[in-house]
């Protein structure tokens, strides 16, 4: 009977938490829809445009903070706040490097979060996973080599060549640690983030003169990546709390 009660409790908890999580995510969907409705990239740089662009990611930071607390400021919530800072910087083209620095710090915070105890129970490795790590690093290195001639033609090659190289290192590290967690949402979020940034680099450094719906692809994949990482982090926390509950029931 005790086992049946525990299973029923688990089902109720999963159903209730899923419904509550969806309600918490409504501001994200509403603010993202507003961003695409106003289509901020075509508007003049302004405080309003910066606020509209950053609002979806800030709403995700609020969700993570609500579930995990202030300690997540050194993890995914902090990464989301830094990403919002990057969003604001990229509204003004002359702040591109500062924006890239904000996103680099975000990837570092995500990486630190993926190394915490919430993910440790899922973090065993296998030959297949090591092969996937190798593919990630080879692909990232290949992308950087592909971009290198265009970086050298940029207005400040002495800055962009090492800066983009360092950024590529941090984002592939984040994606590798996301894969290490073995949590599908987190892994997919890391990979989609790489796709978003690669698409942005193709356009910003004039690798392609014109990419149909290029800005739409960048922002859709960007918001999707942040959503997946945030939900994955919340679910990892709920799973950890569930394990603690089972331990308490057995004691």
């Amino acid at each position: 009977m005790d086992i049946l009660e525990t299973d029923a409790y688990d089902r109720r908890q999963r159903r209730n938490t899923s419904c509550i999580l969806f309600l918490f995510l409504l501001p994200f969907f509403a603010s993202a829809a507003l961003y695409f409705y106003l289509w901020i990239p075509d508007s003049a740089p302004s405080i309003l445009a910066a606020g509209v662009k950053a609002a979806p990611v800030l709403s995700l930071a609020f969700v993570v903070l609500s579930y995990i607390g202030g300690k997540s400021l050194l993890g995914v919530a902090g990464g989301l706040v830094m990403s919002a800072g990057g969003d604001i910087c990229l509204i003004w083209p002359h702040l591109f490097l500062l924006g890239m620095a904000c996103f680099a710090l975000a990837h570092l915070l995500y990486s630190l979060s993926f190394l915490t105890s919430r993910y440790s129970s899922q973090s065993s490795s296998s030959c297949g996973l090591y092969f996937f790590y190798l593919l990630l690093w080879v692909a990232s290195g290949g992308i950087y080599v592909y971009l290198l001639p265009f970086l050298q033609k940029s207005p400040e090659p002495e800055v962009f060549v090492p800066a983009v190289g360092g950024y590529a290192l941090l984002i592939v590290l984040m994606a590798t640690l996301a894969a290490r967690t073995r949590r599908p949402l987190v892994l997919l979020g890391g990979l989609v983030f790489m796709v978003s940034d690669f698409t942005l680099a193709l356009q910003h450094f004039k690798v392609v003169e014109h990419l149909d719906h290029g800005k739409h692809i960048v922002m859709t994949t960007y918001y999707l990546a942040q959503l997946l990482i945030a939900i994955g982090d919340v679910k990892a926390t709920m799973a950890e709390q569930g394990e603690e509950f089972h331990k308490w029931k057995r004691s």
Side-chain angles (χ1 to χ4, degrees):
M1 185 64 182
D2 187 58
I3 295 176
L4 293 177
E5 289 177 352
T6 301
D7 289 341
Y9 174 84
D10 286 345
R11 286 195 296 271
R12 287 196 302 272
Q13 284 295 96
R14 284 195 294 268
R15 183 168 59 251
N16 292 339
T17 52
S18 295
C19 291
I20 293 171
L21 179 58
F22 177 75
L23 291 175
F24 269 70
L25 289 172
L26 287 179
F28 166 80
F29 293 118
S31 54
L34 178 64
Y35 172 86
F36 285 107
Y37 175 75
L38 297 176
W39 195 228
I40 295 302
D42 288 345
S43 61
S46 66
I47 298 297
L48 176 62
V52 172
K53 185 180 182 184
V57 177
L58 287 176
S59 70
L60 290 177
F62 173 77
V63 172
V64 175
L65 281 169
S66 300
Y67 275 87
I68 303 174
K71 63 181 181 181
S72 62
L73 287 172
L74 294 177
V76 168
L80 289 165
V81 171
M82 293 306 304
S83 294
D87 289 333
I88 293 171
C89 290
L90 294 186
I91 287 288
W92 289 272
H94 66 280
L95 295 179
F96 182 83
L97 272 174
L98 181 58
M100 192 164 67
C102 289
F103 283 114
L105 287 173
H107 294 315
L108 183 59
L109 289 170
Y110 291 154
S111 298
L112 291 174
S113 181
F114 299 155
L115 290 171
T116 59
S117 60
R118 296 199 305 281
Y119 296 98
S120 60
S121 62
Q122 299 284 331
S123 61
S124 59
S125 298
S126 64
C127 291
L129 196 56
Y130 283 124
F131 180 70
F132 184 72
Y133 296 160
L134 179 62
L135 285 179
L136 276 179
W137 285 83
V138 169
S140 181
I143 290 170
Y144 179 70
V145 170
Y146 179 69
L147 290 174
L148 190 56
F150 300 93
L151 297 175
Q152 292 169 337
K153 295 176 184 177
S154 65
E156 299 177 275
E158 69 283 357
V159 174
F160 281 109
V161 169
V164 173
Y167 183 85
L169 181 66
L170 286 173
I171 194 172
V172 73
L173 176 63
M174 182 274 290
T176 301
L177 293 175
R180 178 179 174 272
T181 68
R182 291 177 173 266
R183 294 187 180 274
L185 291 178
V186 173
L187 168 58
L188 189 57
L191 294 178
V192 174
F193 216 135
M194 291 183 70
V195 172
S196 177
D197 280 356
F198 177 56
T199 307
L200 175 62
L202 287 177
Q203 298 171 80
H204 184 80
F205 295 109
K206 312 298 182 185
V207 179
V208 292
E209 290 300 324
H210 176 72
L211 184 62
D212 290 338
H213 308 295
K215 293 180 180 178
H216 291 81
I217 295 171
V218 169
M219 294 309 301
T220 301
T221 52
Y222 168 68
Y223 284 141
L224 176 60
Q226 300 284 31
L227 175 64
L228 291 170
I229 290 172
I231 294 177
D233 199 50
V234 168
K235 285 188 173 293
T237 300
M238 291 192 295
E240 183 184 44
Q241 292 171 349
E243 290 175 3
E244 291 176 354
F245 171 77
H246 285 302
K247 290 177 181 177
W248 175 79
K249 289 289 289 183
R250 288 195 295 266
S251 62

